[in-house]
Amino acid sequence: MTFAIGNLALRNPVLLAPMAGITDLPFRRQVARFGQGADGAGVNAPGLMVSEMIASREAALGDARARAKAEIDGALGATSVQLAARDPEWIAEAARYAQGQGAPVIDINMGCPARKVTGGQSGSALMREPDHALRLIEATVAAVSVPVTVKMRLGWDHDALNAPAIAARAQAAGVAMVVVHGRTRCQFYKGSADWAAVRAVVEAVSIPVVVNGDILDGETAAQALRLSGAAGVMVGRAARGRPWLPAQIAAHLAGRPAPQVPGLAEQAGSLIDHYRDMLAFYGRDVGLRCARKHLDWRLCELAGGGALRAALLRDTDPDRVLDQLSRLPELAAEAAHAAVCDPSSDAAHLAA
């Protein structure tokens, strides 16, 4: 189950979604790590990972934070840089910068539902202005030699489900792939993603279409592909705190044994690596703040992790945080022992 974006062949049909404040380079390294497997073959690593959404004007003008979001590690496999914009000139300039930094794919954000984005008439607000959206697409395609893709929703609301028409115009303008989240902008993330509705987009174009929204595991990925007829799936929010999830989905779709959820010792090691990577990438103070959400997601589901979670989210001493993370296996063993002694205790819940 492989497909190509233009002249770029992907190793599998599982893509990591762009998520603001989440899919930075350190998190993408974690996802790629769990896709490598014991033999290092990397067959379960995502076919494509997408950066956080980047404001085109800021990236074009040299803003350090915006450009950090576009940083690529070629050793991780194909990574797309996603751009948000209102002005064709800025998105073209930002796309040229991203390509110059090694991005093999440029993605245009037409799906973000956040009010701070749609209030500036970008993101999913562009679906209300197909003609203007097309000008952004044409400017981007003309600016770079790498494939250009678009991520969108079904429409602004259920009275304007215009994703098929926009996708067809995008293909005619040179777009090489379309990703469709199976909700409208006005739904935000409420209700359930309508994978079957994405089929209308698949039937409107001949380029690959990827289905997004509520991809939680291998079974939901297979069902989304079946109902939509799409060429691939994009995994988003379900991967928060579970960087191994895309690898599990890729294996399931390929009919290979899915990697097991990592054991506590391996998770502790990956958390330590992720934490150190974030400190190195952002610097101490910003890294501490950015790492907290990842610690929160990871620790709240770990046996023994809850005992550390509250303290670590407030701790401002990196060495102390790293020392406590190294004790996760020990803490889990203590929690399991306490559960045997007192099944009604909090430790029993942590060890369950």
Side-chain angles (χ1 to χ4, degrees):
M1 293 181 66
T2 59
F3 66 90
I5 303 175
N7 58 3
L8 178 67
L10 305 187
R11 56 187 155 196
N12 65 58
V14 178
L15 287 66
L16 178 67
M19 291 181 280
I22 300 173
T23 51
D24 55 17
L25 183 55
F27 182 73
R28 285 183 263 128
R29 284 187 176 128
Q30 285 293 308
V31 173
R33 164 185 175 161
F34 284 108
Q36 286 300 313
D39 59 2
V43 293
N44 292 330
L48 181 74
M49 295 188 287
V50 188
S51 74
E52 300 177 73
M53 177 182 66
I54 300 165
S56 293
R57 184 176 185 276
E58 284 79 354
L61 291 175
D63 179 82
R65 290 188 63 183
R67 291 194 167 189
K69 294 178 181 180
E71 190 167 331
I72 300 291
D73 182 345
L76 303 183
T79 300
S80 173
V81 169
Q82 188 187 71
L83 301 174
R86 177 69 186 172
D87 189 315
E89 177 184 353
W90 288 125
I91 198 168
E93 187 61 33
R96 281 190 285 266
Y97 169 77
Q99 178 178 313
Q101 295 302 112
V105 180
I106 304 296
D107 185 63
I108 300 173
N109 185 310
M110 289 175 51
C112 180
R115 288 184 176 87
K116 66 180 181 180
V117 176
T118 60
Q121 302 304 307
S122 58
S124 57
L126 290 168
M127 300 197 73
R128 295 189 295 182
E129 299 180 88
D131 291 343
H132 187 76
L134 192 66
R135 286 192 284 273
L136 291 175
I137 291 169
E138 290 172 338
T140 308
V141 170
V144 296
S145 58
V146 296
V148 174
T149 64
V150 173
K151 189 173 188 294
M152 63 177 73
R153 290 196 164 216
L154 295 174
W156 178 260
D157 56 32
H158 279 91
D159 293 327
L161 300 177
N162 57 355
I166 292 177
R169 294 184 70 181
Q171 176 180 331
V175 162
M177 183 185 77
V178 173
V179 179
V180 184
H181 184 120
R183 290 182 174 89
T184 67
R185 182 273 174 183
C186 289
Q187 285 181 277
F188 284 86
Y189 296 98
K190 296 177 181 177
S192 299
D194 188 349
W195 301 321
V198 177
R199 185 172 287 275
V201 181
V202 174
E203 294 172 349
V205 298
S206 58
I207 56 176
V209 175
V210 172
V211 61
N212 174 228
D214 296 348
I215 308 299
L216 307 177
D217 51 28
E219 288 75 16
T220 52
Q223 186 179 5
L225 288 174
R226 184 167 57 252
L227 291 175
S228 66
V233 296
M234 180 171 274
V235 185
R237 292 172 295 154
R240 296 178 303 185
R242 297 192 292 168
W244 52 85
L245 180 63
Q248 292 178 319
I249 293 174
H252 180 89
L253 294 180
R256 295 187 292 268
Q260 297 298 307
V261 174
L264 197 56
E266 184 179 357
Q267 288 205 43
S270 79
L271 266 171
I272 290 169
D273 288 346
H274 193 184
Y275 191 77
R276 285 174 171 157
D277 198 6
M278 295 197 79
L279 294 178
F281 185 74
Y282 289 107
R284 182 185 183 278
D285 293 341
V286 176
L288 279 171
R289 294 196 300 272
C290 291
R292 284 175 183 148
K293 55 181 170 286
H294 294 282
L295 288 174
D296 191 10
W297 292 323
R298 296 283 292 273
L299 291 172
C300 71
E301 295 188 4
L302 279 178
L308 278 176
R309 178 170 167 264
L312 289 187
L313 296 185
R314 294 191 298 266
D315 205 319
T316 58
D317 183 338
D319 290 334
R320 190 161 52 233
V321 171
L322 289 167
D323 178 66
Q324 290 296 299
L325 290 175
S326 71
R327 296 184 61 245
L328 269 179
E330 173 190 341
L331 181 60
E334 292 173 357
H337 176 73
V340 173
C341 298
D342 182 4
S344 65
S345 69
D346 288 342
H349 172 70
L350 292 172

